[in-house]
């Protein structure tokens, strides 16, 4: 298994999926095991800002339900972190972070909308797909220090991991240590600096015309 760095096409060795998040064989703590406990990718703040901007740019008169669907889909891929409580292994950025899952999410929302009789089921399904893909886009452009590096972006067509050779966003730690909290505050602030202007621009471009 390897990671494909899009743009430079470099493959590097990766930790087997069966060993992700597993403790060191000797029961001790290593640098890699500490990183595995601390590091993930962009915060929900960044994903939410990107989703709201995308919703504003692509909305065609739909109501708030579409906004909620797109926002929920943009945050949903990181629910794979909860799978660690099931089998003790790290499943982050695997199948859930893929085009295949984005298409599946769109199909499920479309089916749910039709079953519930919501207006515009196709539009809601498309919103779910777009929101999921926006999550992939931000993660692809983010610093990743937790093997396997990158996203399994083309699953189920490929199990290769893809990663941008340039990082725009910082990583987010998952501990309450002061150094991690301080680092996360800087990372979230940077996400706001980068993404908030896009949301403001989207609102301005899509603002209703005044008569």
């Amino acid at each position: 298994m390897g990671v494909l760095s899009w743009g430079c096409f470099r493959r590097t060795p990766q930790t087997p999926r069966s060993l992700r998040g597993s403790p060191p064989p000797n029961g001790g703590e290593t640098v890699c095991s500490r990183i595995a406990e601390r590091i993930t990718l962009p915060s929900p703040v960044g994903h939410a800002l990107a989703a709201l901007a995308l919703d504003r740019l692509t909305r065609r008169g739909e109501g708030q339900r579409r906004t909620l669907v797109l926002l929920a889909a943009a945050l949903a891929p990181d629910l794979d972190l909860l799978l660690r409580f099931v089998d003790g292994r790290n499943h982050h950025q695997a199948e859930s972070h893929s085009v295949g899952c984005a298409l599946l999410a769109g199909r499920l929302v479309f089916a749910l909308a039709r079953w519930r009789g919501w207006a515009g089921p196709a539009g809601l399904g498309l919103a779910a797909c777009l929101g999921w893909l926006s999550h992939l886009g931000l993660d692809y452009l983010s610093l990743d220090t937790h093997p396997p590096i990158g996203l399994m972006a083309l699953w189920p067509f490929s199990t290769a991991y893809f990663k941008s050779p340039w990082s725009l966003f910082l990583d987010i730690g998952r501990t309450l240590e002061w150094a991690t909290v301080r680092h996360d505050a800087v990372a979230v602030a940077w996400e706001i600096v980068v993404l908030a202007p896009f949301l403001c621009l989207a609102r301005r471009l899509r603002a209703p015309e005044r008569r």
Side-chain angles (χ1 to χ4, degrees), residues 193-211:
V193 167
V194 173
L195 296 171
F198 285 98
L199 177 56
C200 294
L201 179 61
R203 291 175 63 88
R204 185 177 183 85
L205 292 175
R206 300 290 299 177
E209 295 182 1
R210 296 182 178 178
R211 295 177 183 268

Side-chain angles (χ1 to χ4, degrees), residues 99-160:
V99 173
C101 255
L103 296 174
L104 179 60
R107 185 66 181 88
L108 290 176
V109 169
F110 170 75
L112 176 63
R114 291 198 63 180
W115 177 61
R116 297 288 296 176
W118 294 341
L124 293 176
L126 179 60
C129 185
L130 288 175
W132 206 285
L133 291 174
S134 74
H135 187 109
L136 272 59
L138 263 63
D139 279 9
Y140 177 75
L141 294 172
S142 300
L143 179 64
D144 188 357
T145 55
H146 184 182
I149 303 299
L151 315 174
M152 198 183 290
L154 296 184
W155 181 87
F157 311 105
S158 170
T159 57

Side-chain angles (χ1 to χ4, degrees), residues 3-20:
V3 55
L4 179 61
S5 185
W6 195 265
C8 61
F9 300 99
R10 183 187 61 191
R11 297 186 71 90
T12 56
Q14 290 295 327
T15 304
R17 292 192 58 194
S18 60
L19 298 180
R20 284 191 218 161

Side-chain angles (χ1 to χ4, degrees), residues 18-207:
S18 60
L19 298 180
R20 284 191 218 161
S22 301
N26 59 3
E29 184 183 40
T30 66
V31 173
C32 290
S33 66
R34 290 201 306 271
I35 290 176
E37 289 296 326
R38 295 185 57 203
I39 301 301
T40 180
L41 285 180
S43 74
V45 174
H47 288 301
L49 288 172
L52 292 173
L54 184 59
D55 172 68
R56 192 72 178 188
L57 288 172
T58 58
R59 186 187 299 178
R60 294 295 184 270
E62 299 93 341
Q64 291 186 347
R65 180 178 286 125
R66 181 186 190 274
T67 301
L68 293 176
V69 166
L70 199 151
L71 180 60
L75 299 174
D78 281 344
L79 291 176
D80 60 3
L81 291 168
L82 299 177
L83 295 176
R84 185 165 190 169
F85 295 102
V86 177
D87 60 9
R89 293 184 295 162
N90 175 44
H91 297 268
H92 192 43
Q93 297 179 294
E95 292 86 351
S96 65
H97 286 62
S98 67
V99 173
C101 255
L103 296 174
L104 179 60
R107 185 66 181 88
L108 290 176
V109 169
F110 170 75
L112 176 63
R114 291 198 63 180
W115 177 61
R116 297 288 296 176
W118 294 341
L124 293 176
L126 179 60
C129 185
L130 288 175
W132 206 285
L133 291 174
S134 74
H135 187 109
L136 272 59
L138 263 63
D139 279 9
Y140 177 75
L141 294 172
S142 300
L143 179 64
D144 188 357
T145 55
H146 184 182
I149 303 299
L151 315 174
M152 198 183 290
L154 296 184
W155 181 87
F157 311 105
S158 170
T159 57
Y161 284 79
F162 295 82
K163 181 71 180 75
S164 170
W166 304 281
S167 297
L168 179 60
F169 301 103
L170 300 175
D171 49 0
I172 296 292
R174 287 179 280 164
T175 73
L176 295 179
E177 298 174 1
W178 169 243
T180 303
V181 172
R182 182 174 56 188
H183 170 83
D184 290 352
V186 173
V188 171
W190 176 245
E191 292 171 6
I192 294 173
V193 167
V194 173
L195 296 171
F198 285 98
L199 177 56
C200 294
L201 179 61
R203 291 175 63 88
R204 185 177 183 85
L205 292 175
R206 300 290 299 177

